[in-house]
Amino acid sequence: MNSAQTTAPRILIVGGGYAGFYTAWKLEKHLRKGEAEVTMVDPLPYMTYQPFLPEVAAGEIEARHAVVGHRRHLKRTKVVTAKVTAIDHANKTATITRADGVSWQHEYDQIVVTAGAVSRTFPIPGIADNAIGLKTIEEAVAIRDRILTNYDRAATMPAGPDRDRLLTVVVVGGGFAGIEVFAELRALGSALLKNYPELTFEDTHFHLIEAMGRIMPEVSLKTSEWVLKSLAKRGANVHLDTQVTSAVDGNVELSTGETISTDLIVWTAGVMANPTVVRGSDLMVEGRGRIQTRPDLRVGSEDEIIEGAWAAGDVSAVPDLSGGGVGGMCVPNAQHAVRQAKLLAKNLVAVLRGEEPKQYFHKNLGAVAGLGLYNGVFQSGNIALKGFIAWCAHRGYHGLAMPSWERKWRVIGDWWLDFWLGRDNVSLEAIQFPRAAFEEFASRPKPKVEEAPAPEAAAPAPAITDTVKVQKPAEKPAKPSTAKATAAK
């Protein structure tokens, strides 16, 4: 390593999701050659474009096309596929841990915490054992495969409780993520019926459970009511002012006293900042468990700056200077994460060059959601679009927001093929156990047969002495043959 590289500031990015990936991507654009060394650490080798997860679950987008490979798109960033399990900012070191448990210390000069968020659950019996979230590409694929597999199984069964269980889907949470995946799955469930003559529309049951008195708080009440009517027309059941009290063995018990038996529970009722990173650091944390961040995206409070520490995205509590945030802070969504990351990269480079960073200000452009093929909703201020036009706006916005043209074309290609060929509705659930078929028929060495122990040697016969006389029996005379007897006569 040459001297220029040795003396260059070392930037460590914790997390490779929206904020982490975009920060690294933009740093590569703004930094001069040799101006800094950038390392990004994430346990996954890709960034997941989460707004596409409902469409992945519904079979409209190929799973690999909804992620962005770190190593392919970050040319001058050192990518480390591992976890940051501790941050000691006082000494500017971070503990990096591989999947096999091996850990080491990484020294840095500037740290960017963009570890994102995870599903937030409550201690409801059965949820941890039976539900699945919608924060990762793996979860979206598992949801899709489970529905397809359950339809295959149900088609071979007589009508009854067991078949009803397989054809029942429960989604918990009526925010944007919950409504989108619920609507997409309802559309998928209806579209599948043409391939299953053994099943009817009345056999399928889709339930959304929401604890509040309305859905989608990001849009106006009038718009949310339109969404409810649209879902009802498609045979979807929405339970408002209702809580899940138990989900043991897939039996979802509701606060209303109703029990729904299901083989698929999708949990979308909230997120929380990545607890592994937050609890394992000595950085400033606010009341809701997020890294306390200033408007210029440096960690700290209004009166204090933690030098060399930055944060953005869902793991951070960034003041919303536009006045539209919840509790005065930016809401955790992709729109803020991407824009914060872009500004953070510029601000970090400015500080390295002795310049002043700028404050983050972004007025929400609105909210857009897909509700299944050819149906959607869009809200921006008092402007609301519904139906096909909103669906086009949804796909147009997210198609352009997907980073890199290489990824854009793959997603657009999926949509184009779906238009002409329809969904590719084949379950690959068996991929979760890839060695099952091989193991079933694999030849194994026969178990070794343990050899029986050799019999013990018989005790030797007593020696014959002069005092012991052994008598042999007298030999009997041979019986004359018939021929000789006849001759004697």
Side-chain angles (χ1 to χ4, degrees), residues 92-374:
K92 292 196 173 179
T93 61
T95 302
I96 300 177
T97 305
R98 288 195 323 226
D100 59 4
V102 176
S103 300
W104 66 93
Q105 299 297 311
H106 181 92
E107 296 181 352
Y108 62 82
D109 298 299
Q110 301 279 337
I111 190 168
V112 179
V113 183
T114 54
V118 299
S119 296
R120 181 192 62 183
T121 58
F122 307 104
I124 300 171
I127 287 296
D129 299 320
N130 297 291
I132 186 171
L134 191 67
K135 289 290 292 178
T136 69
I137 196 70
E138 293 82 2
E139 289 173 327
V141 172
I143 291 169
R144 171 183 176 274
D145 287 344
R146 175 65 62 85
I147 288 182
L148 296 175
T149 298
N150 284 356
Y151 270 62
D152 288 334
R153 293 171 58 194
T156 66
M157 300 171 63
D162 290 339
R163 192 176 76 165
D164 288 342
R165 179 187 180 92
L166 293 175
L167 298 175
T168 299
V169 175
V170 173
V171 176
V172 184
F176 251 68
I179 289 297
E180 283 194 288
V181 72
F182 181 64
E184 291 285 0
L185 294 182
R186 173 68 273 188
L188 170 64
S190 299
L192 287 175
L193 293 174
K194 65 178 181 295
N195 298 324
Y196 294 89
E198 305 89 347
L199 306 176
T200 66
F201 181 84
E202 289 71 23
D203 294 328
T204 62
H205 313 283
F206 287 75
H207 297 267
L208 177 82
I209 316 300
E210 170 52 46
M212 296 176 59
R214 58 164 296 181
I215 61 171
M216 304 175 73
E218 300 89 344
V219 302
S220 68
L221 180 60
K222 184 177 180 180
T223 301
S224 70
E225 290 175 346
W226 178 88
V227 174
L228 286 174
K229 293 178 182 178
S230 176
L231 292 172
K233 290 178 182 178
R234 288 186 278 167
N237 303 286
V238 179
H239 306 257
L240 299 178
D241 292 315
T242 305
Q243 297 177 344
V244 176
T245 58
S246 177
V248 176
D249 297 328
N251 295 310
V252 180
E253 298 179 9
L254 306 180
S255 56
T256 59
E258 184 180 358
T259 298
I260 304 170
S261 181
T262 178
D263 194 54
L264 178 59
I265 305 170
V266 182
W267 182 273
T268 65
V271 297
M272 64 178 180
N274 189 318
T276 301
V277 173
V278 173
R279 295 171 187 168
S281 79
D282 59 353
L283 296 174
M284 195 176 292
V285 178
E286 51 91 60
R288 296 187 62 183
R290 297 173 295 181
I291 303 294
Q292 188 166 338
T293 311
R294 294 164 48 85
D296 59 10
L297 304 176
R298 286 184 286 186
V299 175
S301 62
E302 185 177 350
D303 303 320
E304 182 182 3
I305 299 174
I306 306 300
E307 295 293 344
W310 307 75
D314 294 357
V315 78
S316 65
V318 180
D320 190 341
L321 301 182
S322 71
V326 178
M329 300 295 173
C330 296
V331 296
N333 61 24
Q335 192 175 137
H336 281 302
V338 171
R339 286 170 171 78
Q340 287 170 7
K342 292 178 179 179
L343 178 63
L344 193 157
K346 291 181 179 179
N347 281 352
L348 204 163
V349 172
V351 168
L352 291 180
R353 296 173 182 172
E355 302 170 3
E356 286 296 316
K358 297 180 180 180
Q359 293 188 334
Y360 175 74
F361 180 92
H362 171 66
K363 190 172 183 180
N364 195 355
L365 298 177
V368 60
L371 303 176
L373 283 176
Y374 313 123

Side-chain angles (χ1 to χ4, degrees), residues 41-52:
V41 182
D42 192 277
L44 296 173
Y46 50 79
M47 181 207 88
T48 301
Y49 191 78
Q50 293 182 2
F52 283 155

